[in-house]
């Protein structure tokens, strides 16, 4: 067996299952899960119809690169959303959801033959695929902490020079999971300068870019490069339809950026067998070409956060994020930072599931930056999320049982 598999840690949801083992939640409350970031809003009917109309494509093998109509749908959206002009033939590729692409990109970029072993830099807390993809590519991971004092911005300055010298890939998540923070232009400038100096690739995970609460939409990585007068050298942006269009089961997204990396990534994917099926492509073209359903989706989340956040703010360290559908909440001081115990007791007493923040981070540089926080995914309908918030608020006012 591949010995690198032994370097993987249990996935957060497996750890949550183990945490809840043996617990029987109170039957007085119906179950409400805020634990998993799986969109629950209905899939727009026009996307389902496009999927049906694409069924005839099942009679042939799809091209790994996708056809020009599909790739042009990506570049048209990038133009409307960010004002960017990309070549559909060389600067974009379809992928089977951003998760699959985030993993595969590391296998393409990382040169594990280097000595000393290469490094992948990840934010901390982070989406677990960053770590797993790095380890299975034969790299080490360096965890750059998020700073609560700066709206959970990643502290790139904390990364030592000797780490940057070995770094081959940096994962950026903006808007962030779990914090909802958006990386500003000055931070992009800093990271681009480091990439120029050390030659590493930047993978910008932007799957939450269309769920936001400010008037101005979140800045994207390619957009930041254009604003700074740069090309897309050593930069790849990844996005998907799962959150934007409520189609997590479609497994559809795309990558865009550096044409040379895209060329090598296509080679890897050709052998990996990662072609997007024709019916998924048909539904994707329809989805990327429509913004009305995206605006409606965003408004649903805005109403939800407007209802939930005021209930929780008086009892938890929580505030409206820049974007995404998560609340990143600090547990009451009486719990002494034990986010796992908080989550377990909440589940037992009120039948509400939240994810311990420490499960989304790693102990690094002497601390776990997720400790003492929980992630709440506001993916259920407004009434259910509001009811969960009321239960959490009631629970948060109680002292922990001995």
């Amino acid at each position: 067996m591949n010995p690198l598999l032994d370097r993987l840690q249990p996935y957060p949801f497996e750890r949550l299952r183990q945490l809840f083992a043996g617990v029987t939640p109170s039957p007085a409350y119906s179950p409400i899960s805020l634990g998993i970031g799986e969109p629950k809003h209905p899939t727009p009917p026009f996307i389902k119809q496009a999927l049906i109309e694409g069924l005839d494509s099942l009679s042939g093998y799809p091209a790994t690169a996708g056809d020009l109509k599909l790739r042009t749908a990506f570049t048209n959206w990038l133009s409307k959303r960010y004002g960017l002009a990309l070549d559909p033939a060389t600067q974009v590729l379809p992928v089977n959801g951003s998760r699959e692409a985030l993993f595969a990109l590391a296998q393409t970029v990382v040169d594990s033959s280097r000595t000393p072993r290469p490094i992948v830099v990840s934010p901390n807390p982070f989406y677990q695929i960053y770590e797993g993809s790095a380890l299975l590519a034969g790299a080490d991971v360096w965890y750059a902490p998020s700073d609560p004092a700066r709206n959970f911005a990643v502290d790139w300055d904390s990364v030592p020079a000797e780490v940057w010298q070995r770094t081959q890939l940096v994962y950026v998540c903006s808007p962030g999971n779990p914090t909802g923070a958006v990386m500003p232009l000055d931070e992009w400038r800093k990271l681009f300068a480091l990439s120029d100096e050390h030659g590493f690739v930047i993978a910008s995970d932007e799957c939450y870019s269309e769920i936001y609460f400010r008037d101005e939409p979140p800045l994207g990585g390619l957009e930041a490069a254009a604003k700074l007068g740069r090309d897309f050298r050593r930069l790849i942006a990844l996005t998907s339809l799962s959150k934007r269009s409520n189609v997590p089961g479609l497994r559809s997204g795309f990558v865009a950026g550096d044409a040379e990396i895209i060329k090598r990534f296509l080679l890897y994917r050709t052998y990996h067998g990662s072609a997007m099926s024709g019916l998924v492509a048909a539904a994707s073209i329809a989805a990327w070409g429509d913004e009305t359903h995206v605006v409606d989706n965003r408004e649903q989340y805005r109403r939800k956060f407007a209802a939930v956040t005021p209930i929780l703010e008086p009892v938890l360290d929580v505030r409206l994020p820049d974007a995404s559908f998560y609340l990143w909440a600090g547990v009451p001081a009486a719990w002494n930072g034990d986010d796992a115990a908080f989550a377990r007791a909440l589940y037992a007493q009120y039948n509400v599931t939240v994810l311990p923040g420490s499960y989304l981070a790693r102990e690094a540089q002497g601390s776990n930056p997720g400790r003492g926080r929980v992630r709440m995914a506001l993916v259920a309908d407004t009434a259910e999320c509001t009811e969960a918030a009321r239960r959490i608020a009631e629970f948060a006012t109680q002292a922990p049982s001995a």
Side-chain angles (χ1 to χ4, degrees):
M1 301 297 288
N2 183 348
L4 294 176
L5 289 168
D6 294 331
R7 303 182 71 194
L8 299 180
Q9 299 198 34
Y11 212 68
F13 304 121
E14 171 58 22
R15 294 182 66 187
L16 187 66
R17 187 188 67 79
Q18 295 173 9
L19 179 70
F20 289 171
V23 176
T24 300
S26 171
Y29 298 97
S30 60
I32 301 177
S33 178
L34 307 181
I36 299 179
E38 181 181 26
K40 298 295 185 184
H41 297 170
T43 299
F46 79 92
I47 297 179
K48 295 180 181 180
Q49 184 60 37
L51 193 67
I52 293 169
E53 292 172 1
L55 284 172
D56 287 345
S57 65
L58 289 174
S59 61
Y61 286 115
T64 304
D67 64 22
L68 185 60
K69 185 177 180 182
L70 175 64
R71 298 195 304 272
T72 300
F74 304 153
T75 55
N76 285 346
W77 182 78
L78 289 167
S79 175
K80 293 174 184 175
R81 173 63 169 82
Y82 298 111
L84 303 172
L86 278 79
D87 183 352
T90 63
Q91 291 183 293
V92 292
L93 274 182
V95 296
N96 299 321
S98 54
R99 174 175 177 164
E100 175 266 324
L102 287 162
F103 179 87
L105 184 65
Q107 317 314 307
T108 302
V109 167
V110 171
D111 178 3
S112 61
S113 69
R114 297 280 185 91
T115 303
R117 190 150 53 187
I119 287 176
V120 172
V121 174
S122 169
N124 195 24
F126 59 96
Y127 180 41
Q128 306 299 296
I129 297 303
Y130 307 158
E131 178 186 72
S133 66
L135 296 177
L136 289 176
D140 290 332
V141 185
W142 206 93
Y143 304 96
S146 298
D147 183 1
R150 295 190 303 124
N151 190 31
F152 301 102
V154 178
D155 186 5
W156 304 114
D157 292 334
S158 70
V159 182
E162 59 269 23
V163 170
W164 287 128
Q165 291 166 8
R166 292 171 50 196
T167 297
Q168 294 186 6
L169 177 64
V170 173
Y171 282 112
V172 174
C173 189
S174 180
N177 173 10
T179 68
V182 173
M183 196 159 99
L185 189 62
D186 284 346
E187 294 292 308
W188 279 109
R189 181 184 286 109
K190 180 183 297 183
L191 204 55
F192 288 146
L194 288 164
S195 174
D196 290 342
E197 181 179 356
H198 299 288
F200 58 74
V201 172
I202 300 171
S204 181
D205 180 0
E206 301 175 6
C207 68
Y208 297 97
S209 69
E210 304 313 290
I211 302 172
Y212 54 88
F213 308 101
R214 318 300 182 195
D215 291 335
E216 183 178 351
L219 178 70
L222 300 178
E223 181 187 21
K227 285 179 178 291
L228 294 171
R230 300 174 56 88
D231 58 21
F232 303 142
R233 190 169 48 245
R234 296 185 301 278
L235 175 62
I236 294 291
L238 308 94
T239 191
S240 83
L241 290 171
S242 296
K243 282 80 176 178
R244 173 189 182 272
S245 299
N246 295 303
V247 286
L250 193 66
R251 310 315 303 137
S252 174
F254 70 85
V255 300
D258 186 321
E260 184 56 36
I261 296 176
I262 293 287
K263 180 180 178 181
R264 301 295 287 176
F265 195 35
L266 174 59
L267 175 63
Y268 175 90
R269 297 179 66 75
T270 300
Y271 280 85
H272 192 213
S274 300
M276 179 185 290
S277 74
L279 63 161
V280 171
S284 301
I285 290 168
W288 288 114
D290 180 81
E291 288 298 317
T292 300
H293 76 287
V294 183
V295 173
D296 177 68
N297 187 48
R298 188 159 52 240
E299 286 304 314
Q300 290 185 64
Y301 282 113
R302 284 178 168 174
R303 289 194 295 269
K304 229 182 290 193
F305 276 79
V308 167
T309 307
I311 298 172
L312 296 176
E313 282 179 329
V315 293
L316 297 175
D317 176 19
V318 66
R319 63 190 64 85
L320 185 72
D322 293 335
S324 83
F325 50 48
Y326 300 116
L327 283 175
W328 185 233
V331 303
W335 288 88
N336 295 317
D338 194 340
D339 49 290
F342 178 91
R344 193 173 194 269
L346 172 65
Y347 175 67
Q349 295 178 40
Y350 287 91
N351 212 349
V352 174
T353 300
V354 297
L355 188 64
S358 58
Y359 290 7
L360 294 167
R362 293 287 179 257
E363 186 82 16
Q365 296 84 57
S367 68
N368 181 320
R371 185 177 185 273
R373 308 196 80 87
V374 293
R375 191 189 75 176
M376 307 175 192
L378 301 192
V379 290
D381 62 35
T382 300
E384 196 170 33
C385 286
T386 304
E387 170 60 20
R390 292 194 185 103
R391 296 185 201 174
I392 294 168
E394 183 175 336
F395 173 74
T397 61
Q398 303 170 11
S401 57

